[in-house]
Amino acid sequence: MTHIFEEGLGRREANYVALTPIDFIARAAEVYGDRPAIVYGETRRNWRETYERTRRLASALTRVGVGHGDTVAVLLPNIPEMVEAHFGVPMAGAVLNALNTRLDIASMLFMLRHGEAKVLIVDTEFGDFAHRVALELPHVRIVSVADVQPAEPGKFPNATDYEAFLAQGDPGFVWTPPADEWDAIALNYTSGTTGDPKGVVYHHRGAYMNALSNILEWDLPKHCVYLWTLPMFHCNGWCFPWTVAARAGVNVCLRRFEARYVLDLIRREGITHYCGAPIVQSAIANAPAEWREGITQKVHAMVAGAAPAPAVIAKMKEIGFDLTHVYGLTEVYGPAAVCAKQAHWDALDDDERARLNARQGVRYHLQAGVTVLDPDTLEAVPADGETLGEIMFRGNICMKGYLKNEQATEEAFRGGWFHTGDLGVLMPDGYVRIKDRRKDIIISGGENISSIEVEDALYRHPAVAVAAVVAMPDPKWGEVPCAFVELREGASVTVEEIIAHCRLFLAGYKLPKVVRFGELPKTSTGKIQKFQLRMAVGSDRAIDLAGDPPPKG
Amino acid sequence: MTHIFEEGLGRREANYVALTPIDFIARAAEVYGDRPAIVYGETRRNWRETYERTRRLASALTRVGVGHGDTVAVLLPNIPEMVEAHFGVPMAGAVLNALNTRLDIASMLFMLRHGEAKVLIVDTEFGDFAHRVALELPHVRIVSVADVQPAEPGKFPNATDYEAFLAQGDPGFVWTPPADEWDAIALNYTSGTTGDPKGVVYHHRGAYMNALSNILEWDLPKHCVYLWTLPMFHCNGWCFPWTVAARAGVNVCLRRFEARYVLDLIRREGITHYCGAPIVQSAIANAPAEWREGITQKVHAMVAGAAPAPAVIAKMKEIGFDLTHVYGLTEVYGPAAVCAKQAHWDALDDDERARLNARQGVRYHLQAGVTVLDPDTLEAVPADGETLGEIMFRGNICMKGYLKNEQATEEAFRGGWFHTGDLGVLMPDGYVRIKDRRKDIIISGGENISSIEVEDALYRHPAVAVAAVVAMPDPKWGEVPCAFVELREGASVTVEEIIAHCRLFLAGYKLPKVVRFGELPKTSTGKIQKFQLRMAVGSDRAIDLAGDPPPKG
């Protein structure tokens, strides 16, 4: 039925434009063209120059036959070329597939094949991979970025240098928004611990929405100075390449994380905002005080990947950094929930506030919902802080689905919600609290034990820097909790002391039966690799953790 | 052609939700339910209460048969019920038609008929209108808001009291986003000076986008305290009812503007942001200094409707208020361009900076474009600051079109751009500068004279408070500029002095041939009613301006 508000009032060119975060760089260049966009060592480029380089990239890609729906893979650290790829690739209508720089070559080859990449833009540091691609996937055009070292000819036999590639492109290239804002903009493989990685497909609309949500959560001002401590290959840096453009801010690039250098940059470049996993926050918070000297501006940090430990929250407060805890997964563009702070929390003691701040929280600004549902019936759990269910999202900040994997897509979206696989509870104040990954629940004598609950208890001990708890097979109980603990530098504690400490917080059956000290294995983004720990206890072989060097930074 | 990024990756319930600004109040209530939403005299309501009242309103409307695509008209000052209508009406699927409280009854009756209103929510102050509606449009259900006076039974024979109406509604009413974000959310009639008013139809997507653009332009923080100096009937208060909800801010309501009271509120309620026409800004800037005493917070003002005079810009700077100049029209949801300030302007002298700040500027954050085109060929004019063209917009912040007026809609959108009817130039820095309304151009001896250029010159005289220039018929030149000038309180100046002053800035043929002093006629939103001035000079009868009282506030 057509009514008066529809008749003759359809969408048309003048009043309907597909949402795309690429437009943010166009406006930054138009309005704030002279302002700094990129800072990287001695390199300084303004938004006009950066926009020009991204158009050159789009034009050059177009000229080599890249078009709508083609995949362009990149393997780059957080250098300016990585920022450029986030605009130049989708401007050509293509899909950006940013590879994790810490992955093994076989996994990356799988991704290039599965994602059907036509072009690979790769830093010369990764010559071994480039060489394998040249041998095994000769149809993939390789563009090499010589950031710190020239391309070794033997490893990059047919590669084009990135700057030469840009030089072939037209700086005035006219890009158009996607025909449909539902078109894919990025492809990000999840680093599954079992089975093949799944290719998460992002759409322009969702990237646009999450880029804006980042602004809304942080009250992010125009011309913010953003430090790239979070890898851009990780959920497209939580959409921040687009966020920073929308604010005409500054991208302070960083080849690799090192706490002292990062604190130097924060001081020297006047950094106002950065993101990072708990390990990054911890390294910054626990750095020697003199490294922070001279930092006078307010610094805002966003943390996700795991709930920040109370000690880190307290330490950040002590050094005057403002910490925002967000929660999400690759499938929801990085952060899609936030532990929104409440004014009345200020009156609470540090421990209680830290506990509240460590929760996963509420839906992100432009996300439609996050909640906890019974994974089978999809009924809401009561907001009692106790009833376990699965954390689920819905809204415009959810992926299109998994590439070439309809079954996984259907399962993930069953019943109109995206199923995270994280188990949680809904608190009386409406905040979601994660209890565990489904696979991280320890079933001991028929009782469920949340490994996170045990970890929380461990983290409350002053000597504990990092803790992880996994299920260890047990002939009597089926499984029992096994704790892996990394101590603070200079601290020492016995197993008995740790157990006695845990007894203050945990029921007897939840106490770790085994405690091992040493550095924990972590992913490139600072997540603890529990599968390694599980392998260690499953095979009854302890990893020789104690022999490892102390954590860096 | 389906490619790999489309196959099995369509929109579904979990990952696609229609954009609507109604959702902002839902999140505000969910996350910040205890925080203040409404302040009005002694009335204080938090977001939970306000959300509940809007759901009651939606429910009550639904129960009396209001549904998808129906029109609900409101005639209300900036009181809490007006904020509620911006959510409750679209939650029922209906379209909000906010009427200008200063309009004549005949015009409003035309609007109710043309817009096919089913319900009218009306303040008891407007009893005469309610009575006429009851007589002439008996099918329109009347809901009366007894804010400062009870409903006179004779004037509201069958009306339902607003609070009683809400009481019939369900506070837990479950609303759903529109089936399509292109659905209408509001109907706003333009106050045309000739012909019938045109009904501008807004869609949910556009209202959402402009509400966010307001945040982006102002770096508007969470929990801002917003003062309702701008009528909500004017382009839905430039979308700020939705903006304030998206920030979980405070709506400080105001039945009518009075400078001293407004300054009291700014102090008492800690106002951080407000909007208003130049007349509002001028009243605030020129108020006695003691009225501003005790205002210690930073206050941000947004001005549109006409470029602010340099003296107002300077005065606002002097009193420490931050002024942002935006530009738009009803058809683009209020502001859709902004005179974005540049850091290097700070080094310029006050006059030069004021001149730069008075320009219409660049596209608003989430608008696709604003530019100056030849109105016939739609070719871009050179960015030379001289070539006259028509200012045009395109993007998601453009109306659906004019209600039941396909011809006007087609004309307005001809060639893929919304034609504003404003004449302007494109400056070398890419900023749009308005020269005149098409009908305000004065053609003298075959030369075009911009009335705005002459007004700019007049405004640079320290004695001038308000100035307007119109074309006066002239037997020799065809037309000549005639200036109407309102002087600052206590100032005096002669016609000769004014002309001598103008000679410093204008070519001889552009000088006003006649200068008249007195208060200028203005619309409810502070726009000077040039048509009255034109009538005055056209009929060769001067309005007796001098006899009017001095401007209020």
Side-chain angles (χ1 to χ4, degrees):
Chain A
M1 180 195 75
T2 302
H3 61 63
I4 57 169
F5 291 107
E6 290 173 3
E7 185 81 37
L9 299 174
R11 295 169 174 78
R12 47 177 89 218
E13 206 187 334
N15 62 16
Y16 188 89
V17 176
L19 302 177
T20 170
I22 316 171
D23 190 48
F24 298 147
I25 196 175
R27 188 178 188 276
E30 277 165 43
V31 179
Y32 298 112
D34 292 330
R35 294 199 67 108
I38 297 281
V39 167
Y40 178 56
E42 298 303 306
T43 301
R44 313 259 144 171
R45 291 198 193 101
N46 65 27
W47 279 106
R48 188 176 302 109
E49 292 160 339
T50 302
Y51 184 40
E52 194 177 295
R53 284 172 62 88
T54 61
R55 279 183 293 169
R56 280 185 184 275
L57 174 57
S59 165
L61 287 169
T62 304
R63 286 177 184 180
V64 299
V66 169
H68 176 63
D70 287 334
T71 302
V72 174
V74 301
L75 182 64
L76 297 168
N78 277 358
I79 56 178
E81 291 78 1
M82 186 62 150
V83 176
E84 291 163 8
H86 277 80
F87 296 93
V89 172
M91 273 178 201
V95 179
L96 177 68
N97 174 214
L99 302 171
N100 184 326
T101 55
R102 317 255 175 112
L103 280 179
D104 58 282
I105 288 178
S107 294
M108 293 194 287
L109 287 171
F110 167 86
M111 291 167 188
L112 292 195
R113 282 197 182 93
H114 185 263
E116 304 182 18
K118 278 194 161 181
V119 174
L120 169 68
I121 303 176
V122 54
D123 190 277
T124 50
E125 180 188 352
F126 307 106
D128 291 343
F129 175 58
H131 192 220
R132 283 285 293 280
V133 174
L135 289 176
E136 296 185 28
L137 301 166
H139 61 281
V140 174
R141 180 181 292 264
I142 296 179
V143 177
S144 60
V145 176
D147 178 45
V148 290
Q149 61 192 57
E152 289 177 56
K155 292 185 172 173
F156 293 88
N158 295 309
T160 310
D161 174 72
Y162 183 82
E163 292 299 327
F165 191 66
L166 286 202
Q168 294 164 19
D170 174 5
F173 178 74
V174 178
W175 61 275
T176 50
D180 187 334
E181 63 200 38
W182 196 251
D183 279 1
I185 188 170
L187 169 65
N188 292 305
Y189 284 91
T190 55
S191 48
T193 50
T194 56
D196 283 333
K198 283 183 283 192
V200 174
V201 181
Y202 289 1
H203 45 81
H204 283 255
R205 178 179 169 100
Y208 185 92
M209 288 294 155
N210 219 32
L212 294 178
S213 287
N214 285 333
I215 295 173
L216 295 175
E217 180 45 43
W218 241 344
D219 294 358
L220 193 68
K222 284 188 280 286
H223 317 315
C224 56
V225 185
Y226 183 85
L227 179 64
W228 272 109
T229 32
L230 178 80
M232 272 182 259
F233 61 70
H234 189 56
C235 312
N236 299 108
W238 302 353
C239 298
F240 271 94
W242 302 309
T243 295
V244 175
R247 296 279 66 191
V250 187
N251 291 280
V252 180
C253 294
L254 189 64
R255 204 170 162 90
R256 58 178 50 85
F257 179 83
E258 199 275 304
R260 180 160 207 167
Y261 179 58
V262 157
L263 285 160
D264 275 348
L265 279 177
I266 291 177
R267 175 180 33 250
R268 197 166 69 220
E269 303 297 344
I271 300 300
T272 56
H273 296 80
Y274 73 90
C275 298
I279 190 85
V280 162
Q281 308 296 349
S282 179
I284 288 173
N286 292 313
E290 65 265 28
W291 294 4
R292 289 194 307 274
E293 263 169 33
I295 297 175
T296 53
Q297 76 279 19
K298 186 79 190 167
V299 181
H300 303 264
M302 200 176 266
V303 62
V312 171
I313 292 177
K315 189 79 192 179
M316 293 297 272
K317 195 184 164 215
E318 190 188 316
I319 67 172
F321 282 27
D322 172 67
L323 188 69
T324 299
H325 175 213
V326 293
Y327 162 72
L329 303 87
T330 301
E331 287 85 343
V332 292
Y333 297 74
V338 56
C339 188
K341 286 177 231 172
Q342 301 288 343
H344 66 267
W345 294 359
D346 290 345
L348 303 174
D349 68 44
D350 280 1
D351 267 14
E352 179 60 14
R353 192 171 52 248
R355 209 166 16 245
L356 293 173
N357 271 330
R359 299 178 305 167
Q360 282 55 49
V362 296
R363 60 177 167 132
Y364 222 26
H365 292 263
L366 307 181
Q367 180 71 307
V370 63
T371 192
V372 180
L373 304 178
D374 180 297
D376 298 317
T377 65
L378 294 179
E379 274 172 33
V381 301
D384 59 8
E386 303 223 332
T387 312
L388 209 61
E390 185 172 354
I391 303 177
M392 306 211 186
F393 284 99
R394 54 185 288 278
N396 295 308
I397 311 178
C398 285
M399 64 173 177
K400 290 182 78 155
Y402 298 113
L403 185 68
K404 301 194 265 189
N405 195 339
E406 278 199 57
Q407 195 195 329
T409 302
E410 292 304 326
E411 278 170 24
F413 286 141
R414 190 171 56 79
W417 289 85
F418 168 67
H419 300 232
T420 63
D422 285 339
L423 301 181
V425 295
L426 198 60
M427 304 302 288
D429 64 355
Y431 280 51
V432 167
R433 186 175 164 203
I434 200 170
K435 297 298 276 189
D436 229 324
R437 291 293 298 175
R438 273 204 205 198
K439 61 180 174 297
D440 289 346
I441 282 284
I442 300 159
I443 304 173
S444 189
E447 299 283 351
N448 284 351
I449 302 172
S450 156
S451 64
I452 289 186
E453 188 181 356
V454 184
E455 286 160 10
D456 277 352
L458 290 165
Y459 270 121
R460 299 179 79 157
H461 192 286
V464 172
V466 184
V469 172
V470 298
M472 182 164 74
D474 183 272
K476 181 169 176 191
W477 302 105
E479 294 178 348
V480 291
C482 173
F484 292 83
V485 171
E486 191 173 308
L487 295 181
R488 257 178 225 301
E489 235 177 303
S492 76
V493 68
T494 66
V495 170
E496 291 69 31
E497 282 165 349
I498 287 285
I499 298 288
H501 163 84
C502 288
R503 209 180 286 280
L504 299 173
F505 306 102
L506 300 175
Y509 74 97
K510 293 181 177 174
L511 293 174
K513 298 298 173 292
V514 176
V515 178
R516 290 177 181 168
F517 296 111
E519 191 186 3
L520 302 195
K522 301 181 193 78
T523 67
S524 60
T525 57
K527 278 192 189 176
I528 296 161
Q529 292 179 301
K530 282 203 173 177
F531 69 97
Q532 288 207 24
L533 303 177
R534 256 180 234 113
M535 274 170 48
V537 299
S539 64
D540 216 16
R541 275 186 305 109
I543 305 169
D544 184 14
L545 293 163
D548 281 2
K552 288 194 208 82
Chain B
M1 182 195 76
T2 302
H3 60 64
I4 58 168
F5 291 107
E6 290 173 1
E7 185 81 36
L9 298 173
R11 294 168 173 80
R12 48 177 90 216
E13 206 186 332
N15 62 16
Y16 187 89
V17 176
L19 302 177
T20 169
I22 316 172
D23 191 48
F24 298 147
I25 195 174
R27 189 177 188 276
E30 278 165 42
V31 180
Y32 298 111
D34 293 329
R35 294 199 67 109
I38 296 281
V39 167
Y40 177 57
E42 298 302 305
T43 302
R44 313 259 143 171
R45 289 199 195 102
N46 64 29
W47 280 106
R48 189 177 301 112
E49 292 160 340
T50 302
Y51 183 40
E52 195 177 293
R53 284 172 63 86
T54 60
R55 278 181 295 169
R56 280 183 183 276
L57 174 58
S59 166
L61 287 168
T62 304
R63 285 177 184 181
V64 300
V66 169
H68 177 62
D70 288 333
T71 302
V72 174
V74 300
L75 181 65
L76 297 168
N78 278 358
I79 57 178
E81 291 78 1
M82 185 63 151
V83 176
E84 291 163 9
H86 277 80
F87 296 93
V89 171
M91 273 178 202
V95 179
L96 178 68
N97 174 215
L99 302 172
N100 184 327
T101 56
R102 316 250 176 115
L103 280 179
D104 57 284
I105 289 178
S107 294
M108 292 193 288
L109 287 171
F110 167 85
M111 291 167 189
L112 292 195
R113 282 196 184 92
H114 185 263
E116 304 182 19
K118 278 194 160 183
V119 174
L120 169 69
I121 303 175
V122 53
D123 189 278
T124 51
E125 181 188 352
F126 307 106
D128 291 344
F129 175 57
H131 192 220
R132 283 285 295 279
V133 173
L135 290 176
E136 295 185 30
L137 300 167
H139 63 279
V140 174
R141 181 180 291 264
I142 296 180
V143 177
S144 60
V145 176
D147 178 45
V148 290
Q149 61 192 57
E152 289 177 56
K155 290 184 172 172
F156 293 88
N158 295 309
T160 309
D161 174 71
Y162 183 81
E163 292 299 326
F165 191 67
L166 285 202
Q168 293 164 18
D170 173 5
F173 178 76
V174 178
W175 61 274
T176 50
D180 187 335
E181 63 201 40
W182 194 252
D183 279 1
I185 188 170
L187 169 65
N188 292 306
Y189 284 91
T190 55
S191 48
T193 50
T194 56
D196 283 331
K198 284 182 282 192
V200 174
V201 181
Y202 288 2
H203 45 82
H204 283 257
R205 179 180 168 100
Y208 185 93
M209 288 295 156
N210 219 30
L212 293 178
S213 287
N214 286 333
I215 295 173
L216 295 175
E217 180 44 44
W218 239 343
D219 293 0
L220 193 67
K222 282 187 281 288
H223 318 314
C224 55
V225 185
Y226 183 84
L227 180 64
W228 272 109
T229 32
L230 177 81
M232 272 183 257
F233 62 69
H234 188 55
C235 312
N236 299 110
W238 303 352
C239 298
F240 271 95
W242 302 309
T243 295
V244 175
R247 296 280 66 192
V250 186
N251 290 280
V252 180
C253 293
L254 190 65
R255 206 173 160 87
R256 56 178 51 85
F257 180 83
E258 199 275 303
R260 180 159 206 169
Y261 180 58
V262 156
L263 286 161
D264 275 348
L265 280 177
I266 291 177
R267 174 179 35 249
R268 198 165 69 221
E269 302 297 344
I271 300 300
T272 55
H273 295 80
Y274 73 89
C275 299
I279 189 85
V280 162
Q281 308 296 349
S282 178
I284 288 174
N286 292 314
E290 64 265 28
W291 295 3
R292 289 194 308 274
E293 261 169 35
I295 298 174
T296 52
Q297 77 278 19
K298 186 80 191 167
V299 181
H300 302 266
M302 200 176 265
V303 63
V312 171
I313 292 177
K315 189 78 192 179
M316 293 296 271
K317 194 183 165 216
E318 190 188 317
I319 68 171
F321 282 26
D322 171 67
L323 188 68
T324 299
H325 174 213
V326 292
Y327 162 73
L329 304 87
T330 301
E331 287 85 342
V332 291
Y333 297 73
V338 55
C339 188
K341 287 176 231 174
Q342 300 288 344
H344 65 265
W345 294 358
D346 291 343
L348 303 175
D349 67 45
D350 280 0
D351 269 12
E352 178 61 13
R353 193 172 51 246
R355 208 168 16 248
L356 294 172
N357 272 329
R359 300 177 304 167
Q360 283 53 50
V362 297
R363 61 177 166 131
Y364 221 28
H365 292 264
L366 307 182
Q367 180 70 305
V370 63
T371 193
V372 180
L373 304 178
D374 180 298
D376 299 317
T377 65
L378 294 178
E379 275 173 31
V381 301
D384 59 8
E386 304 222 334
T387 311
L388 209 61
E390 186 171 353
I391 303 178
M392 308 212 187
F393 283 99
R394 55 185 287 279
N396 295 307
I397 311 178
C398 285
M399 63 173 178
K400 290 182 78 157
Y402 297 113
L403 185 68
K404 301 195 266 189
N405 196 339
E406 278 198 58
Q407 195 195 328
T409 303
E410 293 303 326
E411 277 170 24
F413 286 141
R414 190 170 57 79
W417 289 87
F418 168 67
H419 300 231
T420 63
D422 286 338
L423 300 181
V425 295
L426 198 61
M427 304 301 289
D429 63 357
Y431 280 51
V432 167
R433 186 173 163 203
I434 200 170
K435 297 298 275 192
D436 228 324
R437 292 292 300 174
R438 273 203 204 199
K439 61 181 174 296
D440 290 345
I441 281 285
I442 300 159
I443 304 172
S444 190
E447 299 283 351
N448 284 351
I449 303 173
S450 156
S451 64
I452 289 187
E453 188 182 357
V454 183
E455 286 159 12
D456 276 352
L458 289 165
Y459 271 121
R460 299 179 79 158
H461 192 285
V464 172
V466 185
V469 172
V470 297
M472 185 165 73
D474 183 273
K476 180 167 177 194
W477 302 104
E479 294 178 347
V480 291
C482 172
F484 291 84
V485 171
E486 191 174 307
L487 295 181
R488 257 176 226 300
E489 235 179 301
S492 75
V493 68
T494 65
V495 170
E496 291 68 31
E497 282 164 350
I498 288 285
I499 298 288
H501 163 84
C502 287
R503 208 179 287 279
L504 299 173
F505 306 102
L506 300 174
Y509 74 97
K510 295 181 177 175
L511 293 174
K513 297 298 171 294
V514 175
V515 179
R516 290 175 183 170
F517 297 110
E519 193 187 1
L520 303 194
K522 300 181 193 80
T523 68
S524 60
T525 56
K527 277 194 191 175
I528 296 162
Q529 292 179 300
K530 281 204 175 176
F531 68 97
Q532 289 207 24
L533 302 178
R534 258 181 232 111
M535 272 170 49
V537 299
S539 65
D540 216 15
R541 276 185 304 111
I543 304 170
D544 184 12
L545 294 163
D548 283 359
K552 288 196 204 79

